[in-house]
Amino acid sequence: MAKVTLTVNGRAMAGECDDRTLLVHFIRDRLGLTGTHVGCDTTQCGACVVHMDGKSVKSCSILAVQASGSTVTTIEGLAVQGELHPVQAAFNQHHGLQCGFCTPGMVMTAVDMIARHGGQLDEATVRQELEGNICRCTGYHNIVKAVLSANEQMHGAQRQAAE
Amino acid sequence: MYATSYHRTSSVDEAVNLRASQDEGRYISGGMTLIATMKQRLAAPSDLIDLRHIAGLKGITVKGRTVRIGAATPHADVASSVEIRALCPAICNLAGMIGDPHVRHMGTIGGSVANNDPAADYPSAVLALNATIITDRREIPADEFFQGMFETALQDTEILTAIRFEAPDKAGYAKFANPASRYALTGVFVAKTASGVRVAVTGAGSGGVFRVPEMEAALGASYLPESVAGISVDPGLLMEDMHATAEYRANLVRVMAKRAVQSSL
Ligand SMILES: Cc1cc2nc3c(=O)[nH]c(=O)nc-3n(C[C@H](O)[C@H](O)[C@H](O)COP(=O)(O)OP(=O)(O)OC[C@H]3O[C@@H](n4cnc5c(N)ncnc54)[C@H](O)[C@@H]3O)c2cc1C
Ligand code: FES
Ligand code: FES
């Protein structure tokens, strides 16, 4: 058994688990944060994406002990006092989901993508950046729309001011 | 996944000593190959020795035209390195084509080169750039490092610490990605320096990454995409699987070589 300490969504959390326990299982089963999903066994679907020390990672392919000491943000950590994060709001507005299984990973991926590109996103870039996230329902169109719209929402005003 | 014992280390010496005390231990860096393999129960190391937190293994340094990339540097950092891009954009482009953004945040150059997957991208760059593989105990030239599928010159306990190369005059990488896995179905890295041209192919060879001397000679004489148009590699030396026949891969080698040269002009 190993002791794992993490700062999750701003709160210090600790728990015991086997060395082989995956981060996603630690988050879901030990911390009770079940928004992060498991959709595959091959590190390909992205349903499990969380941010570790500010970077998007696939929590199904990292051991909890590897992550120990780091700062983790999950889908539950995005909304502030009940107010949806702009990316969550955009998925809602543009109907960027159907069954919703891939959505937590899609949203965490979009937040990371928008931050990394500093507002410079176009459709081709968004599609390429979604390489590691699979959706069985939507056909991606509305997901791409939602990401571009959230990007505008978060960076558009800033860009106009700069121009 | 089978049970395992995890150890976090903070220096290369500590890691080597620990590894030497175990029969079935393995180093782990980004885990983007190893954890995935353990989940499938295709690997069952008794111990995992984590290299990701060793400060000395991380980071990029550029001095003059010499580039040094620490083994634990993630693909995303190479892809976005302004310093490397100024000297050798081809390797940044290659790193940006590996897997997906999440894999690039964790996966490292050291793990990729040490693993020597026959469809991995980095081995082609390391071989074409005539890079030096630096370990905890010696320096190994790329031509001696890659020894067949998943086989390298590394000894059991040896740690790859960095990759070093001189920036070429020109370099390009072209990859035909496997539509499902995004690994290279065939990828070709071309590098031109004062001492000649080197062409390295990944994803295609049944013995892993390999060079194509005929293409190197032709490009040495005239560095243009057309120079490789008439050169074919022997399909007998290439992989054949559900994704592509050996003949198809042979054709891809030629097409990717042309595109790699074109992209470097
Ligand atoms: C969905 C997905 C898509 C991918 N697509 C691609 C792709 O398109 N192209 C591509 O090239 N790769 C791809 N990969 C693999 C990825 O690039 C891996 O990150 C890389 O191959 C291994 O690096 P790592 O740091 O994760 O190594 P690990 O998984 O930690 O280790 C791999 C092996 O190397 C050994 N090792 C690690 N570091 C060292 C060291 N410093 N010294 C000695 N031995 C060491 C380990 O013991 C282990 O045997 C993909 C992976 C996934 C999950
Ligand atoms: S559950 Fe992590 S990539 Fe599918
Ligand atoms: S909404 Fe159902 S998998 Fe994406």
Side-chain angles (χ1 to χ4, degrees):
Chain A
M1 290 295 258
K3 185 164 183 228
V4 172
T5 52
L6 294 170
T7 303
V8 182
N9 302 331
R11 287 174 52 204
M13 294 186 172
E16 297 237 314
C17 65
D18 280 348
D19 286 16
R20 65 177 158 176
T21 302
L22 297 169
L23 178 60
V24 69
H25 292 139
F26 187 81
I27 290 172
R28 288 176 56 86
D29 303 343
R30 290 297 147 115
L31 306 183
L33 296 169
T34 53
T36 305
H37 293 167
V38 179
C40 75
D41 213 10
T42 50
T43 321
Q44 281 172 312
C45 77
C48 62
V49 169
V50 301
H51 297 178
M52 183 167 90
D53 292 331
K55 294 190 167 126
S56 64
V57 296
K58 289 178 161 171
S59 63
C60 71
S61 299
I62 298 174
L63 301 177
V65 283
Q66 276 178 286
S68 190
S70 67
T71 297
V72 171
T73 306
T74 69
I75 189 72
E76 290 91 344
L78 287 188
V80 180
Q81 291 175 346
E83 176 125 2
L84 291 183
H85 184 281
V87 174
Q88 292 173 305
F91 269 69
N92 182 340
Q93 189 192 341
H94 293 275
H95 196 57
L97 59 143
Q98 287 178 28
C99 79
F101 195 84
C102 70
T103 313
M106 288 287 179
V107 169
M108 297 312 287
T109 298
V111 172
D112 173 81
M113 179 194 319
I114 292 169
R116 261 187 301 113
H117 287 83
Q120 303 299 313
L121 275 180
D122 53 25
E123 185 187 332
T125 310
V126 173
R127 287 187 183 276
Q128 201 183 2
E129 287 275 339
L130 289 176
E131 187 70 70
N133 295 75
I134 294 174
C135 175
R136 301 302 302 264
C137 304
T138 63
Y140 302 95
H141 286 306
N142 287 356
I143 292 175
V144 175
K145 268 191 222 159
V147 177
L148 287 170
S149 156
N151 181 60
E152 256 332 279
Q153 175 82 26
M154 294 166 74
H155 287 281
Q158 198 178 315
R159 201 162 45 236
Q160 268 166 13
E163 272 163 9
Chain B
M1 188 185 301
Y2 292 108
T4 188
S5 298
Y6 172 84
H7 312 270
R8 189 173 291 190
T9 54
S10 53
S11 78
V12 170
D13 285 349
E14 185 192 348
V16 173
N17 287 336
L18 197 57
R19 178 70 187 80
S21 69
Q22 305 154 346
D23 290 339
E24 302 290 331
R26 286 277 277 279
Y27 295 123
I28 182 163
S29 184
M32 289 297 101
T33 293
L34 188 51
I35 296 290
T37 314
M38 289 171 68
K39 279 167 62 175
Q40 306 293 328
R41 293 193 165 182
L42 294 171
S46 61
D47 298 82
L48 289 175
I49 300 162
D50 196 348
L51 307 177
R52 201 167 65 91
H53 299 273
I54 302 178
L57 291 184
K58 277 191 235 180
I60 293 164
T61 43
V62 176
K63 281 207 192 96
R65 294 190 64 78
T66 308
V67 178
R68 185 183 186 283
I69 307 173
T73 307
H75 308 326
D77 291 11
V78 174
S80 64
S81 165
V82 177
E83 278 181 297
I84 302 182
R85 188 165 287 279
L87 289 175
C88 184
I91 197 166
C92 303
N93 297 340
L94 174 149
M97 285 183 221
I98 296 174
D100 58 55
H102 327 302
V103 168
R104 294 195 287 273
H105 282 148
M106 285 301 291
T108 66
I109 189 168
S112 179
V113 174
N115 196 48
N116 193 19
D117 186 305
D121 296 293
Y122 267 130
S124 66
V126 169
L127 188 57
L129 290 167
N130 199 11
T132 301
I133 291 89
I134 307 172
T135 78
D136 61 299
R137 60 199 72 167
R138 59 186 169 145
E139 299 199 346
I140 310 169
D143 281 316
E144 292 165 26
F145 184 81
F146 300 107
Q147 302 189 343
M149 274 199 196
F150 299 104
E151 295 291 332
T152 70
L154 289 177
Q155 293 160 0
D156 258 2
T157 62
E158 195 166 10
I159 292 183
L160 198 166
T161 56
I163 304 290
R164 188 184 66 221
F165 63 91
E166 294 299 313
D169 301 336
K170 289 188 169 70
Y173 181 63
K175 166 180 180 175
F176 190 92
N178 178 317
S181 76
R182 298 293 165 189
Y183 275 87
L185 199 57
T186 292
V188 178
F189 200 104
V190 176
K192 180 179 189 295
T193 64
S195 44
V197 177
R198 289 168 66 105
V199 177
V201 177
T202 190
S206 44
V209 64
F210 66 96
R211 288 172 62 189
V212 189
E214 298 84 351
M215 287 188 175
E216 294 180 352
L219 290 168
S222 167
Y223 190 78
L224 289 168
E226 302 85 85
S227 304
V228 296
I231 300 172
S232 41
V233 294
D234 177 5
L237 304 172
L238 303 186
M239 280 194 276
E240 175 142 315
D241 53 27
M242 65 186 281
H243 305 294
T245 61
E247 287 73 21
Y248 185 72
R249 282 193 165 88
N251 189 54
L252 279 181
V253 172
R254 184 165 44 207
V255 176
M256 292 303 118
K258 270 178 18 190
R259 288 187 192 168
V261 175
Q262 184 68 48
S263 74
S264 71
L265 294 175

